[in-house]
Amino acid sequence: MSTLLSIEEPAAAPRRAKPQWSAFTEMGFRPLYLAGCFWALASVLLWVHAPARLTGVLNGMPWHAHEMLWGFVATIAVGFLLTAGANWTGKNPLRGTPLAVLCAVWIVARAGYLVPGRPAFVVAAAADLLFFLWAACALGRAVAVTRNQRNYGIPFLLLGLAVANALYLSASVQGDYVALMRYFNAGLLCMAVLTLLIARRVIPFFAKRAVAGLDIPAHTRSGHWLLGAGIVAIACLVAGEPRAAALALAATGLIALAQWVSWKPWAVRKVPLLWILYAGYGGLGIGLLAGAAHLAGYVLRPAWPAHVIGVAGFSVLILGMVTRTALGHLGRPLRTDRSMVLSYALIILAALLRLAALLPTSATLGFLHASASAWALAFALYLWRFFPMMIRPRADAGKAAAPVMKVVPVARRPAA
């Protein structure tokens, strides 16, 4: 029987490594996952329990919508892309001091929107746009220098997020609610297309590695149609053509759900690291169909598409992704513990309760508060579990120095 060389931990467990600034700023996911998840927790609690404290120029619903999309979801996307970009190109787009400065710019933006007065808003808006432009340029440079043609379009989607952000902030200052919602939806769709593009690649890859014998088609052509339909939907929305945008958006959602079915979701039901990703991708596809229905003029509150896409789609997918990718890049076993699975259950519960709060019932406020509590607990569990790992070197960083080697028969080796 052929054998493979397996490296195991020494019998005596090594001492836990000390926190290191160099480790914390080694890759984009470390500070940005923590920042985004903390802000998801803090901003929702502010919005639900202390809205009177939102006294900046950007306040009330516009602040909440902005911070959920650009302060939370897009921040996690930047952290993921800066990390994935290093894998795609072999060149780390940002690390060390430049990454730390980028995070400081992000903090200035979040704090500035909470401070009263036009000067604070201008500083916050400038910092916010600089954050996305800097990240897009850093990623674009890594992709261009290495001629990574497959990913040429991704920095432009980040630039699209930045442009939609600038237009949204401008509309909020002018008090133009119609334009505000148009640009918010454009930003939401930019983020949705970016998410679908990345998730379509990584979820099947993760699934085939984790489930023995699982065969998933590549869907290269449908992936191109998905990207094209999403871009057409964004263009039509910005151009003020809601009917055409609805058709393109419906096509995007249907393609996404067809891909989801072809990924055999029933095959991953026993793997939490996978079913949470499948749940989020499915929620995103359903949310796009809800958005198409709203644009087509069917009776549907504007809050429904945004919350199905944002809470049942993005947020569920994000919690799964920041767990799976962090474990992998931190050199940890790709296994969930009870706190991780509990956080998954809580984020799904938060999504269901938030959608229930949109129903015209006397329990609306109770559903909203319960959703906010489940949401906060989900992200608090993530921060509690992962913060100690993020500020330390990879768990397997020292193994190469003095490995303990064991020959293991291939037939008995567990699947990854």
Side-chain angles (χ1 to χ4, degrees):
M1 183 181 294
S2 60
T3 58
L4 292 177
L5 193 63
S6 173
I7 300 179
E8 297 183 348
E9 291 283 356
R15 293 178 62 186
R16 191 181 193 187
K18 293 182 179 180
Q20 294 180 9
W21 179 255
S22 59
F24 183 57
T25 57
E26 178 185 31
M27 301 192 82
F29 79 95
R30 288 177 180 259
L32 290 175
Y33 280 9
L34 294 179
C37 289
F38 169 77
W39 193 236
L41 185 161
S43 62
V44 163
L45 291 182
L46 270 174
W47 169 242
V48 173
H49 296 293
R53 295 185 178 274
L54 304 177
T55 56
V57 172
L58 188 67
N59 57 30
M61 186 280 291
W63 176 87
H64 172 61
H66 182 273
E67 292 305 280
M68 282 291 95
L69 179 55
W70 284 284
F72 163 47
V73 176
T75 298
I76 298 295
V78 169
F80 174 86
L81 290 173
L82 290 178
T83 304
N87 287 342
W88 297 335
T89 65
K91 181 180 177 64
N92 194 339
L94 278 179
R95 66 183 302 173
T97 301
L99 177 59
V101 175
L102 181 75
C103 295
V105 169
W106 181 89
I107 293 171
V108 169
R110 306 284 74 77
Y113 290 128
L114 297 175
V115 177
R118 184 61 64 89
F121 173 82
V122 171
V123 170
D128 217 9
L129 297 176
L130 176 60
F131 173 81
F132 290 107
L133 292 173
W134 190 351
C137 289
L139 184 60
R141 181 176 181 275
V143 169
V145 167
T146 58
R147 298 183 180 180
N148 192 262
Q149 297 182 9
R150 187 188 184 193
N151 295 298
Y152 277 174
I154 291 179
F156 289 101
L157 285 172
L158 274 182
L159 288 176
L161 270 173
V163 171
N165 190 8
L167 293 172
Y168 180 92
L169 293 172
S170 175
S172 70
V173 171
Q174 296 171 15
D176 188 341
Y177 180 78
V178 174
L180 185 83
M181 292 309 300
R182 182 189 306 129
Y183 298 135
F184 172 77
N185 289 331
L188 194 70
L189 291 186
C190 277
M191 191 66 249
V193 171
L194 182 60
T195 302
L196 291 170
L197 180 64
I198 299 302
R200 186 187 65 82
R201 296 181 188 179
V202 301
I203 293 177
F205 174 75
F206 292 161
K208 287 190 287 187
R209 283 174 61 94
V211 181
L214 181 61
D215 183 29
I216 296 176
H219 284 300
T220 302
R221 181 171 296 180
S222 70
H224 294 158
W225 282 105
L226 183 74
L227 178 61
I231 291 174
V232 169
I234 295 168
C236 291
L237 188 63
V238 173
E241 297 291 339
R243 295 282 181 175
L247 288 175
L249 199 57
T252 307
L254 289 173
I255 295 171
L257 290 176
Q259 291 176 343
W260 182 84
V261 171
S262 73
W263 292 346
K264 303 178 177 66
W266 55 89
V268 304
R269 64 189 182 280
K270 296 181 180 179
V271 186
L273 279 176
L274 290 176
W275 60 248
I276 187 67
L277 297 176
Y278 275 65
Y281 196 88
L284 183 54
I286 294 170
L288 293 175
L289 294 182
H294 175 68
L295 289 173
Y298 291 97
V299 179
L300 194 68
R301 290 178 59 188
W304 273 96
H307 284 89
V308 177
I309 292 173
V311 185
F314 289 151
S315 301
V316 173
L317 192 58
I318 279 174
L319 198 55
M321 196 67 76
V322 297
T323 304
R324 170 58 173 79
T325 56
L327 288 174
H329 286 290
L330 291 169
R332 302 275 177 169
L334 297 178
R335 294 192 299 268
T336 52
D337 59 21
R338 290 180 180 177
S339 69
M340 298 175 196
V341 176
L342 179 57
S343 70
Y344 297 167
L346 285 167
I347 197 66
I348 291 173
L349 176 62
L352 294 175
L353 289 169
R354 186 63 188 90
L355 295 178
L358 295 175
L359 298 173
T361 69
S362 59
T364 293
L365 189 60
F367 283 141
L368 180 63
H369 285 181
S371 174
S373 298
W375 170 282
L377 284 172
F379 285 103
L381 278 172
Y382 178 82
L383 293 168
W384 170 76
R385 189 68 183 85
F386 279 84
F387 180 80
M389 304 183 200
M390 297 288 206
I391 61 176
R392 290 175 169 83
R394 285 177 58 103
D396 56 1
K399 286 187 179 182
V404 175
M405 295 178 290
K406 178 183 178 182
V407 176
V408 180
V410 174
R412 296 181 183 177
R413 192 180 185 188

